Amino acid sequence: MSLLDYFKTSKTSSASLAKERLQILVAHERVSNNQPMYLPQLQKELLDVIQKYVHVDKDAISVKFEQDGNQETLELNIMLPDDTTKRF
Amino acid sequence: MARIIVVTSGKGGVGKTTTSAAIAMGLAKKGHKTAVIDFDVGLRNLDLIMGCERRVVYDFINVINGEASLNQALIKDKNCNLLYILAASQTRDKDALSQEGVGKVLDDLSKDFKYIICDSPAGIERGAHLAMYFADDAFVVTNPEVSSVRDSDRMLGILSSKSRRAEQNKEPIKEYLLLTRYSPERVKLGEMLSVEDVQEILSLHLLGVVPESKSVLNASNSGIPVILDEKSDAGQAYADIVARYLGENKPHRFIDDKKGFFGKLFGGK
Ligand SMILES: Nc1ncnc2c1ncn2[C@@H]1O[C@H](COP(=O)(O)OP(=O)(O)OP(=O)(O)O)[C@@H](O)[C@H]1O
Ligand SMILES: [Mg+2]
């Protein structure tokens, strides 16, 4: 890296950091804004059902909605506790 | 039939009212009969920027409620006889706007006007929603700053899903990017997002860049849209924007830092 590059990169840091953060955030929000309206409710009800059988935390369950062309998939992920005594 | 343009942003204070006043004046000056409507119910400001605050008798809500006719409420601009202003109500709240009422006013105006500019309030509540609902074109006013860009992206999502055109499966609203309060010097120093950065994130057609300029405050102090300050950089930027919107081919200006070291030493603005 030349001395010139050094000045260049150190100088561009704050705007390029802003750009990087925005790219990640915007991509994420575009996905979540396209999600079906029922998703949060579905997630809550699934959690209620699962908790009838297994003690899991609220964060132990994730519902992901993905859209790829005209194919939509719903991915459900449940982390069971390691501690088997916590199971019924 | 009029073409309805919404000036929107999500974030507050980015320059929507400044832009609405400027482009409405610009379109009227080009010979098109234009109306500009303030949708910021409760916080009206367009009348001040247009310099007609003392001539407001009836407002948008009065017309919606049938308390005044459109002709009574429309204020003819003092600088251009093809330009009319419809002020927002200062006393009532946002709920006074109904979708049906707004639709009716826009329909009536459409018969007589070529362009209708809707100055949206900030946020994504009722006023902002109704300002964009009937639009054909959207001018998305964005500052080169993270929260403004994020809010603009959010607004784009709403424009494409919650408008009349979207609900009726018509051709979508045409969206344009207006990047305002731009400082080429700061972009050059890496302190500010560049036009390219913002365009890359929002992937929008760039209608123009309006530089950060003292002339905007001067214009609002005197109640004259900045586009009439033909010597000013911001005035020229808005004139270019209007020309481009009307299909003229104008190269972009005010993007590069023209003032070099000597320019900075020996004056300039
Ligand atoms: N290009 C510019 N250069 C300098 N100052 C500007 C520029 N554009 C707007 N401003 C200033 O920014 C402030 C906000 O502008 P304006 O009222 O047009 O924004 P707005 O988006 O309509 O705000 P609100 O969301 O409150 O309706 C004003 O003080 C205005 O003078
Ligand atoms: Mg405003």
Side-chain angles (χ1 to χ4, degrees), chain A residues 11-16 18-19 21-23 25-26 29-30 33, chain B residues 145-146 149-150 153-154 189-193 197 200-203:
Chain A
K11 271 184 172 173
T12 51
S13 63
S14 116
S16 55
K19 181 181 178 186
R21 289 173 60 214
L22 269 171
Q23 279 172 322
L25 180 72
V26 160
E29 287 182 340
R30 278 183 196 161
N33 284 333
Chain B
E145 178 268 323
V146 284
V149 175
R150 177 203 212 167
D153 191 68
R154 185 76 203 287
L189 290 172
E191 298 173 354
M192 185 182 266
L193 290 163
D197 291 343
E200 192 181 322
I201 292 160
L202 296 178
S203 16

Side-chain angles (χ1 to χ4, degrees), chain B residues 85-151:
Chain B
I85 299 116
L86 187 54
S89 169
Q90 180 70 312
T91 51
R92 295 194 235 191
D93 62 276
K94 289 186 170 63
D95 297 334
L97 288 178
S98 66
Q99 179 156 313
E100 204 193 344
V102 172
K104 173 88 176 37
V105 171
L106 292 176
D107 267 356
D108 287 349
L109 284 172
S110 284
K111 290 173 197 145
D112 199 24
F113 286 84
K114 185 77 191 295
Y115 292 103
I116 302 171
I117 316 297
C118 302
D119 179 17
S120 175
I124 50 174
E125 312 270 298
R126 192 183 193 87
H129 172 74
L130 287 173
M132 58 89 140
Y133 184 77
F134 298 96
D136 301 303
D137 299 316
F139 288 7
V140 181
V141 179
T142 308
N143 291 167
E145 178 268 323
V146 284
S147 54
S148 174
V149 175
R150 177 203 212 167
D151 286 1

Side-chain angles (χ1 to χ4, degrees), chain B residues 9 11-19 40 119-122 180-181 210-213 216-217 220 234 238:
Chain B
S9 68
K11 188 171 159 61
V14 296
K16 293 179 292 296
T17 301
T18 304
T19 299
D40 209 341
D119 179 17
S120 175
T180 63
R181 311 201 67 163
V210 181
E212 172 76 24
S213 167
V216 173
L217 184 58
S220 72
Y238 278 116

